[in-house]
Structure formats: C-alpha cells, structure tokens
Amino acid sequence: MPASRRDALTALATLAAAGALPSLAWSARLKPGKDAVLIVVDVQNCFVTGGTLPVKNGEQVVPVVNKLAKVFDNVVVTQDWHTAGHVSFASAHAGKKPFETTKLNYGTQVLWPDHCVQGTADAALHKDLELPRAQLVIRKGYHQGTDSYSAFLEADRKTQTGLSGYLKSRGIKDCFVCGLATDFCVAWTALDARKAGFQAAVIEDACRGIDLQGSLAKAWADMKKAGVRRVQSSDLLG
Ligand code: VGL
Ligand code: ZN
C-alpha cells in the first residue's frame, strides 16, 4: 500500500479510537453467530407503566427487543414468577416497606412491592412482545423463601434454574442480555453468564433500570469488571 494511503488510514484509526467518528464508520456490525442467544429478561406487565413494580419507561424496550429477536437464531425469554406472599415482598415482613432491605439466610434482600405473582395478568409477558421464535421460557423466583434476579442461579447462589445446562447442551457460547431491569435481573443474569463460562453482553438501549441508591452505576461497574460487553442495539441492527 502506498505510504500516503497508509498514513490516511492511520489517521482515520486514530480519529476513530478517539471517538471522533461514529463507531459504525470504523467497526463492523456485530453479527450474532449460531452459538449466540438473546436472553429477554422479564419484559412483563409488572415492570412497565401500570404494573406493580414499574421500571421507568420499561415499555420502551419492547420494539427494540422485537427487532433484535429477528437477528438471533436463538432466543430465550425469562419471567419473574413469584408465589403469593413471596419472601421478596415487603408485605411478607411485618413493619417493612417496599424498597427497604432485610437480612435473610442467604444475605441482604431488597424488599419489593408484591409483583409478578404466578398466573396473574401482572406476571404475563408484555402484549406487544413479538418473539414467535423464542425457544424457551424460563421462570424464576418461584421458591417461596428464595428470590432469583438471575436467570441462572437463585439468590442463595446455589440453586440452579437449569438455564446453564440447557444453553451448554445446545452449544451456546455467547449470551446477549436485554430487558428489565438493567441493574437487577439483567445485570445478575449477565454476571452469572460469565461465571458459568459464557461470553456475555448487555444491550444497553434494550434495557431500562430501576436505580435504587446508585444500583445502576454499580451494576455497570460490576459488569465491566466481569468482562460483560456493553453494546447498543445499533451495533447489531446496523
Ligand atoms: C426484578 C426486582 C424484583 C427484575 C425482579 O426483573 O429486575 N427486580 N424482581
Ligand atoms: Zn421479583
């Protein structure tokens, strides 16, 4: 290659690295492979406007998730699926209010409003979610005394949901996580995907957070440290 062209390319690379060019001008679009899965976390009525534990603008993830699902060969959906009177509900603890914490045998538990009770309309998937090719719905948080933010491991950090075995036996290597809420079920799922030996990415604009006392910034910091990639839907959709 002539020196002038090489210089021009070097200059372009420097600009791109400095963030002076839109990243798509330089980096190729991410194409999920046959060994990648989109994990759509808890896009349920309880977590959107009008639900029992609404995440601000939670419903805005729906059209983004629908588009993303079209570019993945593998799609798995999760549902928060609590018993009535579940241990994660403030109402199950005398004198406690939602968003306070309590100590349980497995550690500190944030207490939530009653939400996502099994079989209720509140626990149903959002009606505009279009995931006809989803292969598995994994429900979690159904043990009365144990919460489960993560789609892989319950809050006792021991009880498996079965998702890791399912994905491994299907040859899946890379988990792209989206949905609700960024700083709870999405982050815990992405972190546990890494612990289970998968690659993991969170698709930021296909998520919305709750952000209790800095939990959103902490979740992103923890994920960065664990090697979870932070990507945008435009990286995948082009
Ligand atoms: C979730 C709080 C309680 C979530 C579930 O889906 O992020 N957050 N249960
Ligand atoms: Zn829950």
Side-chain angles (χ1 to χ4, degrees), residues 8 13 31 33 39 50 56 67 72 88-89 99 104 122 128 130 142 151 165 178 183 191 208 211 214 216 231-232:
K31 192 174 162 17
I39 304 179
K56 192 169 181 230
K67 273 187 222 134
F72 280 83
S88 72
F89 297 173
F99 310 107
L104 298 180
D122 189 58
D128 297 329
E130 281 170 28
Y142 47 72
C178 63
D183 40 347
L191 289 166
R208 291 294 183 277
D211 206 10
L216 189 58
V231 305
Q232 308 301 319

Side-chain angles (χ1 to χ4, degrees), residues 53-108:
L53 178 42
V55 179
K56 192 169 181 230
N57 296 326
E59 56 283 351
Q60 292 179 0
V61 306
V62 172
V64 188
V65 170
N66 289 345
K67 273 187 222 134
L68 283 166
K70 296 196 166 84
V71 303
F72 280 83
D73 285 349
N74 305 296
V75 179
V76 165
V77 178
T78 78
Q79 264 179 310
D80 210 36
W81 200 250
H82 298 308
T83 50
H86 190 256
V87 74
S88 72
F89 297 173
S91 62
H93 303 265
K96 289 286 188 184
K97 290 203 251 338
F99 310 107
E100 293 178 353
T101 59
T102 194
K103 291 258 183 279
L104 298 180
N105 56 10
Y106 55 75
T108 301

